[in-house]
Every structure is written in structure tokens, then in C-alpha cells.
Amino acid sequence: MNTEQIQGYAERILGALRERAPIAPLTSEAPDMTVEDAYHISTALLEMRKKQGEVVIGKKIGITSKAVQNMLNVHQPDFGYLTDKMAFSQGQEMPISEQLIQPKAEGEIAFILKKDLMGPGVTNAQVLAATDFVVPCFEVVDSRVENWQIKIQDTVADNASCGLFILGDQAADPRKIDLRTCGMVVEKNGEVISTGAGAAALGSPLNAVAWLANTLGQFGIPLKAGEVILSGSLVPLEPVQAGDYMSVSIGGIGSASVKFV
């Protein structure tokens, strides 16, 4: 795929994002698009957003759990970039009706780094050593593709279907928690809708972050000290709309909640 095509697809996704108007899957027009092509589109999209004033503050791993893979019929993880415009704090209302198209919320464990991580060869032990703390998190993913009719190339090009995210205000030392067995309970409008455990994310959130560091290392991109790393959903995606209220509780870590407007 040439540079002009890559720029054109990135502009189309950015237009859909800004206008909240979904587009047809890119793969329906370019069935021979490779995952590598899609990452080039994602990079071009990120550069456009940076030129509009957004600042990269972290990265995310997507499609890590079997539940999410089965829902989307996409059976490998991917990654995307987090910017300051996507971030919300505990207590803030999240304006999904103004910014997103077809949002779905997922409970995750977010890692806040104190050291850089650069693959290849990053191990779980190195992830632990580089992590300052972990916090409960809601990521609200969104697709700029009509009806979430995505293949892996479509979601990769679309910055791993990044939408918005909110971090809880309770932090925990990951060295004092079994991140593989810690349990998660998600409630929506006062009712429990899903439960999960750390093992849902590629066997452990540590595996997920190591995978991300090693995958980005192939592109010469580090995970940087101070960045937020979203390690992947532990529960199925849940469609949300303005007026919904959700909370997530993670054993040994804490809780987070969000009101959607």
C-alpha cells in the first residue's frame, strides 16, 4: 500500500471520528490490506491527531480476552495509542453522546510505568519492575466502522478501536497481588453483568504488557516511564449509552466508576 493510500484511509477514519459518522470497513474496499498496512494507517492517523493538539500519554492492548475475540470475531491482540483527549478521572462524567459513535465499555487493569520498557525480550518480571502501580480502569472502545463489522486490519487501522477511558483513584502495588487470579466484578445500573479474572488477558495482564512491549519493540517504539498502559479487557464488551452508570471492582486493587452522558 502506497503512502497516498495510507494517508487517504487515515483521513477517512479521522473524518468519521470527528463527525461521528461511521464508514464501511476498509477491508471491503481493500481486501488485500495487510496488518502491517493497517498499522501504517494507524500511525498516520495518530500523526494527524497530534497535529490537532493531542498528546500521547500511553498505549493500549486490545482484543486480549477470548470473550472479546469471540464477540468481534477477531482472534489476535492488537495495540493502539492513548492521548490526553481520551483520558478521564474518577468522578468525571464521560460525554460518550458527544464524542463516540457506538461505544462499548470493558473493565481492565491499567499499568502506570516508572521505567521505560523496550522489546524484544521483555519478560513479565521486567514488566513488574518497570511498573509504578496498577489501577482499575474502564476503557470505552468505539469503532468508526459501521456496526462493528471489523476484521483485524480494520480495528488496527482505527487505532485499535480506541475511544475514551477512565482511571480509578485507588492504586495498588502489582508486586503484592496475583494479577493472574485477581477477580473482577462489573456492574451496570446497579446490576452485576459480568465477572472475570486477570487470567482472561492472555493468561495474565503481565503477559499482555510484555506482549505489547515486545511487539512495539519490533517497530522501535518503547513503552515510556509515566505512560498509562491498558492491559486488555477481563470481561465481555458491554454496549453503553448516555444515562448509564457502571462500576468495576478488582480484588486487591480497588474500584472505579463512571457515569455516561
Side-chain angles (χ1 to χ4, degrees), residues 94 96 189 240-246 258-261:
M94 185 178 283
I96 59 173
N189 300 328
V240 290
Q241 60 186 4
D244 286 336
Y245 175 84
M246 291 187 71
V258 58
K259 175 70 179 293
F260 299 109
V261 295

Side-chain angles (χ1 to χ4, degrees), residues 26-239:
L26 301 185
T27 52
S28 65
E29 180 179 319
D32 57 347
M33 179 185 292
T34 66
V35 172
E36 185 175 352
D37 289 334
Y39 277 123
H40 286 307
I41 295 168
S42 175
T43 301
L45 173 64
L46 177 68
E47 290 305 312
M48 292 174 185
R49 295 179 74 164
K50 287 164 65 176
K51 286 179 181 177
Q52 293 183 353
E54 296 187 51
V55 177
V56 174
I57 60 168
K59 301 171 179 84
K60 65 154 280 186
I61 306 139
I63 323 179
T64 52
S65 74
K66 290 296 182 186
V68 173
Q69 289 179 359
N70 291 336
M71 287 180 74
L72 300 179
N73 196 30
V74 173
H75 298 284
Q76 66 188 84
D78 64 355
F79 66 82
Y81 297 92
L82 306 176
T83 76
D84 59 330
K85 299 297 186 184
M86 303 175 187
F88 290 78
S89 300
Q90 179 71 34
Q92 284 186 285
E93 294 182 332
M94 185 178 283
I96 59 173
S97 62
E98 298 174 3
Q99 297 189 25
L100 304 184
I101 302 169
Q102 41 197 350
K104 300 176 186 285
E106 52 188 6
E108 302 192 20
I109 297 172
F111 287 65
I112 313 300
L113 300 184
K114 61 182 178 181
K115 299 177 184 176
D116 290 1
L117 278 173
M118 182 76 172
V122 170
T123 65
N124 286 9
Q126 289 172 316
V127 172
L128 269 180
T131 300
D132 193 4
F133 54 88
V134 292
V135 296
C137 169
F138 269 117
E139 182 186 3
V140 185
V141 293
D142 192 29
S143 181
R144 273 53 70 173
V145 175
E146 293 172 343
N147 300 316
W148 280 92
Q149 295 300 303
I150 56 174
K151 296 181 178 179
I152 183 66
Q153 295 94 327
D154 296 298
T155 184
V156 165
D158 190 20
N159 193 33
S161 302
C162 278
L164 307 172
F165 69 94
I166 193 161
L167 299 179
D169 55 9
Q170 295 170 291
D173 184 345
R175 289 157 286 273
K176 297 179 179 178
I177 307 162
D178 186 340
L179 290 170
R180 188 175 60 85
T181 62
C182 64
M184 172 180 285
V185 177
V186 177
E187 295 184 33
K188 179 182 180 182
N189 300 328
E191 295 186 8
V192 173
I193 59 166
S194 59
T195 59
L202 299 182
S204 167
L206 293 171
N207 291 340
V209 177
W211 175 88
L212 180 63
N214 291 324
T215 301
L216 285 174
Q218 298 172 23
F219 297 90
I221 301 168
L223 305 185
K224 297 180 180 179
E227 285 192 331
V228 178
I229 308 298
L230 305 188
S231 62
S233 184
L234 307 184
V235 291
L237 297 172
E238 177 65 20

Side-chain angles (χ1 to χ4, degrees), residues 10-24:
E11 288 171 0
R12 194 178 304 178
I13 294 170
L14 184 64
L17 171 72
R18 298 303 187 215
E19 296 166 19
R20 297 182 60 242
I23 58 176

